[in-house]
Amino acid sequence: MLLLASLLSATLTAAAPPEPVNPAPTRASLAVIADQPDLSGVWTPGPLDKYAAGNSTEPQWRPEIAPIYARLKQLDAEGKPQNIWVNCLPEGLPSSWTQTLNSVEFLQTPGRITILGELDGNRLRRVWTDGRPHPADPDPTFSGHSIGHWEGQTLVIDTVGFLRQVFISTGQGVGIPNNGDMHVVERITLTGPDTARVDLMVDAPRVLAAPWHATRLLTRHRERKFDLVESSCRQGDFIESTDKDGLAIFAPLPKDEGGATLPPDQAALNAAPAKEKK
């Protein structure tokens, strides 16, 4: 009986496919990077080419979505933007390109390119360039599952597997969730020694009547003063303070009814007894 169990276990082990691994770098794989276009350095987007509601590059929305978008635009124009990024959730694609004013850095390593964004602790994206396909059933995320390849001076990134809640936005308070099945193709092209263009094609059939094409221009900086630094959007929800033992802490700030953090002086005023507010 013991012999039979051992034989069965050996048979099952032999039949199981090997678990895929990410191989260690080799001289050959490192040499491949040396022949790729150089994306090193820190890249900053131009502030004036940021997409805004009402311009000629707006997405074409499905008929049932267009009135919702128009209402958001009207509220934004009236000074009542409906903030679509709350609780420090990531913007996700395509907004991480079309709306950001933050710097970005590309790390080129064998089999992948890592994209670091200077926001909330340097959020990262991993673009697999080792020839793997998308998973058959990817776990949805804000930035999706990305695979890439080079076409001359252009890095082509294909991304699927987005959370349905990720926005297609044209402003801080003007955006529509993709609602599922979104597919984004990015083409990042070096246009000069220190300039690049990001072309995006966003296909979201549940909310868009046609794929949306958006473009962002980037400028490279190699000076060390442009190096990415740590940041955290949640830090603005707290104020530096000390506890009862004199130890340094971050004390949470109160928020108004809409969820906006109150400034420290307003927070102190609201916390004071009613007779002191007169």
Side-chain angles (χ1 to χ4, degrees), residues 58-274:
E58 286 188 328
Q60 298 180 45
W61 303 102
R62 290 174 59 94
E64 68 274 21
I65 301 298
I68 303 172
Y69 179 75
R71 183 174 71 248
L72 291 171
K73 279 202 305 179
Q74 182 61 35
L75 287 169
D76 191 55
E78 294 173 356
K80 305 172 186 176
Q82 307 301 296
N83 187 13
I84 58 178
W85 292 300
V86 295
N87 298 321
C88 286
L89 294 174
E91 299 92 339
L93 283 172
S95 300
S96 56
W97 278 125
T98 61
Q99 292 300 313
T100 190
L101 292 175
N102 294 288
S103 300
V104 68
E105 185 173 5
F106 301 89
L107 306 180
Q108 293 170 251
T109 53
R112 75 198 73 175
I113 294 176
T114 302
I115 304 177
L116 295 175
E118 192 174 40
L119 179 67
D120 194 25
N122 306 118
R123 287 191 182 127
L124 67 83
R125 291 179 56 201
R126 187 160 285 131
V127 180
W128 299 105
T129 58
D130 56 4
R132 73 181 65 183
H134 291 301
D137 185 20
D139 292 328
T141 60
F142 286 92
S143 294
H145 184 272
S146 298
I147 54 178
H149 65 276
W150 288 95
E151 294 180 1
Q153 295 292 301
T154 299
L155 174 63
V156 182
I157 306 174
D158 187 282
T159 306
V160 298
F162 294 96
L163 288 164
R164 298 172 64 246
Q165 295 84 355
V166 173
F167 287 96
I168 300 170
S169 64
T170 57
Q172 180 76 19
V174 185
I176 300 292
N178 73 84
N179 260 21
D181 298 330
M182 183 165 69
H183 178 200
V184 177
V185 176
E186 302 154 82
R187 299 180 66 87
I188 303 173
T189 305
L190 291 172
T191 56
D194 294 308
T195 57
R197 184 181 69 250
V198 182
D199 290 296
L200 300 104
M201 189 63 70
V202 182
D203 186 11
R206 295 179 183 266
V207 295
L208 291 178
W212 178 44
H213 175 231
T215 302
R216 200 71 192 273
L217 304 178
L218 303 176
T219 301
R220 173 161 41 199
H221 306 275
R222 296 196 183 277
E223 300 89 339
R224 291 184 178 180
K225 66 180 181 180
F226 287 99
D227 288 348
L228 298 189
V229 297
E230 182 184 79
S231 63
S232 173
C233 66
R234 289 305 307 275
Q235 192 168 341
D237 293 339
F238 301 86
I239 187 171
E240 294 183 14
S241 184
T242 55
D243 64 12
K244 60 183 179 59
D245 297 315
L247 300 175
I249 63 169
F250 286 114
L253 289 168
K255 297 183 179 181
D256 63 19
E257 294 180 357
T261 302
L262 296 172
D265 55 340
Q266 185 65 46
L269 178 63
N270 287 355

